[in-house]
């Protein structure tokens, strides 16, 4: 629903079944190049419908939130490698969980100066857990509805 010509919609795409998470690192809703991520769900008729637009809780200019991300089931992680809460170019990663139709930010991890945390993000699902891996080799592990790091 954002028609910015330089928004970089599709910066990353993470598909899991009938749900997709798409990054747009240069969307200016919060601030210049703060970024956004979008969740779309496939409807029974095959059409894709945007169900939520994710924004960083503490987005700022040049955060480029939505540069990288991963979706596994009801869990998503979106990176903001330009986020500066932990120092210049420290980066941050935002972890979200879906319950019903609501996506909630469960955790934010800030990097340290020049770390650009979030430059690598990946997801994996096993029969008993969801795992999301992030830039500093951290691992978020979800089992039976709880999220840990």
């Amino acid at each position: 629903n954002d028609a910015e010509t330089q928004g970089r919609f599709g910066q990353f795409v993470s598909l899991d079944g009938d749900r997709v998470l798409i990054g747009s690192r240069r969307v200016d809703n919060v601030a210049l190049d703060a970024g956004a991520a979008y969740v779309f769900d496939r409807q029974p008729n095959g059409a894709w419908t945007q169900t939520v637009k994710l924004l960083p809780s503490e987005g700022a200019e040049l955060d480029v939130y939505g540069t990288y991300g991963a979706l596994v089931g009801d869990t998503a992680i979106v990176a903001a490698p330009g986020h500066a809460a932990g120092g210049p170019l420290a980066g941050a990663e935002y972890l979200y969980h879906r319950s019903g139709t609501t996506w909630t930010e469960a955790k934010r991890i800030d990097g340290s100066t020049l770390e650009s945390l979030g430059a690598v993000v990946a997801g994996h699902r096993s029969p008993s857990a969801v795992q999301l891996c992030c830039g500093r080799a951290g691992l978020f592990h979800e089992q039976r509805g709880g999220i840990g790091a």
Side-chain angles (χ1 to χ4, degrees), residues 63-77:
D63 275 2
V64 290
Y65 170 94
T67 298
Y68 304 101
L71 171 71
V72 181
D74 293 329
T75 305
I77 189 168

Side-chain angles (χ1 to χ4, degrees), residues 61-148:
E61 187 172 343
L62 302 177
D63 275 2
V64 290
Y65 170 94
T67 298
Y68 304 101
L71 171 71
V72 181
D74 293 329
T75 305
I77 189 168
V78 181
H83 189 71
L89 294 176
E93 294 166 337
Y94 295 81
L95 184 69
Y96 297 89
H97 184 71
R98 184 180 75 93
S99 179
T101 59
T102 303
W103 287 86
T104 304
E105 184 181 313
K107 182 181 274 192
R108 184 184 93 213
I109 297 180
D110 292 325
S112 56
T113 299
L114 300 178
E115 185 176 4
S116 292
L117 184 65
V120 177
V121 176
H124 170 72
R125 180 197 322 249
S126 71
S128 62
V130 169
Q131 297 177 332
L132 291 162
C133 184
C134 53
R136 71 164 71 124
L139 182 67
F140 297 105
H141 181 80
E142 177 182 5
Q143 190 169 7
R144 295 187 187 98
I147 296 174

Side-chain angles (χ1 to χ4, degrees), residues 14-104:
S14 182
L15 178 68
D16 187 15
D18 289 332
R19 183 169 293 128
V20 65
L21 176 66
I22 301 174
S24 187
R25 69 185 177 103
R26 294 187 61 192
V27 168
D28 298 334
N29 291 79
V30 176
L32 177 69
D33 291 349
Y38 305 84
V39 177
F40 290 82
D41 286 307
R42 187 183 345 230
Q43 304 305 309
N45 67 2
W48 289 91
T49 303
Q50 181 182 326
T51 52
V52 70
K53 176 180 178 178
L54 300 173
L55 295 170
S57 58
E58 294 188 18
E61 187 172 343
L62 302 177
D63 275 2
V64 290
Y65 170 94
T67 298
Y68 304 101
L71 171 71
V72 181
D74 293 329
T75 305
I77 189 168
V78 181
H83 189 71
L89 294 176
E93 294 166 337
Y94 295 81
L95 184 69
Y96 297 89
H97 184 71
R98 184 180 75 93
S99 179
T101 59
T102 303
W103 287 86
T104 304

